[in-house]
Amino acid sequence: MTSSQTSLHGPRTPVPAERRRVRWRSVLVFGAVAYGLFALCAAPFWVLDEGITHPLYTLVIGAGMFAPTIASVVVAKLVDRTSWRDAVGLRFRGRWKRILLWAPLATLLVLALNLATAVIMVLRGVPGDLTGSTWAAEVSRSMSEQGAEMPTGAAVALVLAISAFGLLLTVVPALGEEIGWRGWLRRELAPLGPWPAIVLGGAIWSLWHLPVTLIGHNYTGQPRWAAVAMFLPASIALHYLFSAITERAGGNPIPAAFAHATLNSTLGVAIGVVATSETASELNWFLDTPMGLTGIVLIAATAFAIMPRTGRGAGRGDQQRTAPEAG
């Protein structure tokens, strides 16, 4: 099988006939720029006493999430001398229907995965309330303490509305990552073949997170060496899922940004919905979350199910064109 072909269940990004090899120089430049800019954003929180709890942490790291996009611009314009929009798949003609379908579908899919890991957590024996009534009562009580007393149903609706708004805001920095990782790098590694491209792409993405993983951003309270080790397979599984969504959208990374934003913004809500006062002490971050073993299995299985097969899906629209496309 040549690199331009695909397995039945792997990514099928077509490789232009004139190129059957990865441009490793471009990959190295991309990685250096993306890592350097992100590490620069994370650097202050290595020395500040508050670390990741600092009030500016979310804002600064959110800005750092645009590092892969900046890296893709640098490579496209200064190294490869090509169209940046073509290089990252930000084309829309003939893809609108798939983009408009997969943006909300990806959101619902990842939300379901977050909720599924939370439910499995309780089913395996971690204290929790699958009815959600404990969470609803806590939300209502918290609102009352803040001087906004209202019926429980209204309080829950307000929290969910705020969460939805937060998700939409999170899409913007998530797109900063997706343009680089699933837009540019996914295409660039395609000549390796389906599975090597997924594994290597996920590994590179995982290592990019080191500046924040090492100071506690993922797997709260766990040893950092274990967090780094667990984040590697989690990143590979998520890269597989987000790549599958991108393939379904004709190579456009916008729906994957919605999936990424949903993962980031609803993980805590999903756990909270089934939580009781005893949940936190029994929860195992390496098993009971989307970034743990349960989540990795569910995410990989979902990616396997939705990745386009040969002859169907979005891969046909992901081919590089000889002339820039309008739109």
Side-chain angles (χ1 to χ4, degrees):
M1 179 181 294
T2 66
S3 57
S4 61
Q5 295 173 310
T6 178
S7 72
L8 287 180
H9 301 85
R12 57 185 307 275
T13 304
V15 181
E18 68 273 12
R19 184 165 65 84
R20 293 285 187 263
R21 292 185 299 176
V22 176
R23 293 173 292 200
W24 291 111
R25 177 168 173 261
S26 298
V27 173
L28 288 174
V29 172
F30 172 84
V33 174
Y35 187 92
L37 291 176
F38 189 63
L40 188 64
C41 290
F45 306 102
W46 279 70
V47 296
L48 292 171
D49 291 338
E50 300 97 326
I52 64 173
T53 64
H54 192 281
L56 293 178
Y57 177 80
T58 299
L59 180 63
V60 174
I61 296 304
M65 290 172 69
F66 286 94
T69 291
I70 296 172
S72 70
V73 173
V74 170
V75 173
K77 297 301 183 182
L78 302 182
V79 180
D80 297 337
R81 306 288 183 176
T82 189
S83 165
W84 173 72
R85 288 180 63 192
D86 282 334
V88 301
L90 278 177
R91 292 299 181 179
F92 300 92
R93 178 179 292 177
R95 306 180 191 183
W96 279 111
K97 288 183 180 179
R98 282 176 284 179
I99 294 170
L100 292 175
L101 170 65
W102 278 93
L105 191 56
T107 299
L108 294 174
L109 193 63
V110 175
L111 178 59
L113 286 169
N114 281 350
L115 289 170
T117 57
V119 169
I120 292 172
M121 172 188 72
V122 176
L123 292 178
R124 83 166 185 88
V126 174
D129 178 7
L130 293 180
T131 69
S133 58
T134 301
W135 172 72
E138 179 60 24
V139 167
S140 180
R141 185 190 64 80
S142 179
M143 289 287 188
S144 296
E145 288 182 350
Q146 296 175 36
E149 188 170 351
M150 62 183 71
T152 299
V156 168
L158 178 60
V159 169
L160 293 179
I162 292 172
S163 298
F165 180 71
L167 189 158
L168 292 175
L169 291 179
T170 308
V171 169
V172 178
L175 184 60
E177 282 200 50
E178 292 306 311
I179 286 173
W181 303 121
R182 261 59 66 178
W184 188 87
L185 187 64
R186 176 186 64 88
R187 291 160 170 260
E188 189 58 42
L189 296 181
L192 295 176
W195 299 115
I198 284 295
V199 173
L200 181 58
I204 293 172
W205 187 35
S206 171
L207 293 175
W208 178 79
H209 286 85
L210 278 177
V212 293
T213 302
L214 289 173
I215 57 174
H217 184 80
N218 297 301
Y219 309 103
T220 304
Q222 303 304 309
R224 289 300 87 194
W225 66 267
V228 171
M230 179 59 74
F231 197 58
L232 176 59
S235 294
I236 292 172
L238 285 167
H239 181 58
Y240 186 16
L241 177 62
F242 295 163
S243 292
I245 292 170
T246 302
E247 292 278 359
R248 285 289 180 180
N252 191 298
I254 289 176
F258 277 85
H260 193 156
T262 304
L263 177 75
N264 289 350
S265 62
T266 68
L267 189 154
V269 174
I271 293 176
V273 166
V274 302
T276 66
S277 59
E278 300 176 331
T279 301
S281 61
E282 298 292 330
L283 181 151
N284 185 329
W285 281 98
F286 294 140
L287 178 61
D288 298 318
T289 70
M291 310 303 293
L293 290 176
T294 300
I296 291 170
V297 171
L298 290 177
I299 288 167
T302 302
F304 180 87
I306 69 172
M307 180 67 77
R309 272 55 163 178
T310 303
R312 57 176 265 230
R316 294 190 301 275
D318 200 22
Q319 298 182 20
Q320 292 188 5
R321 295 165 174 79
T322 56
E325 171 191 323

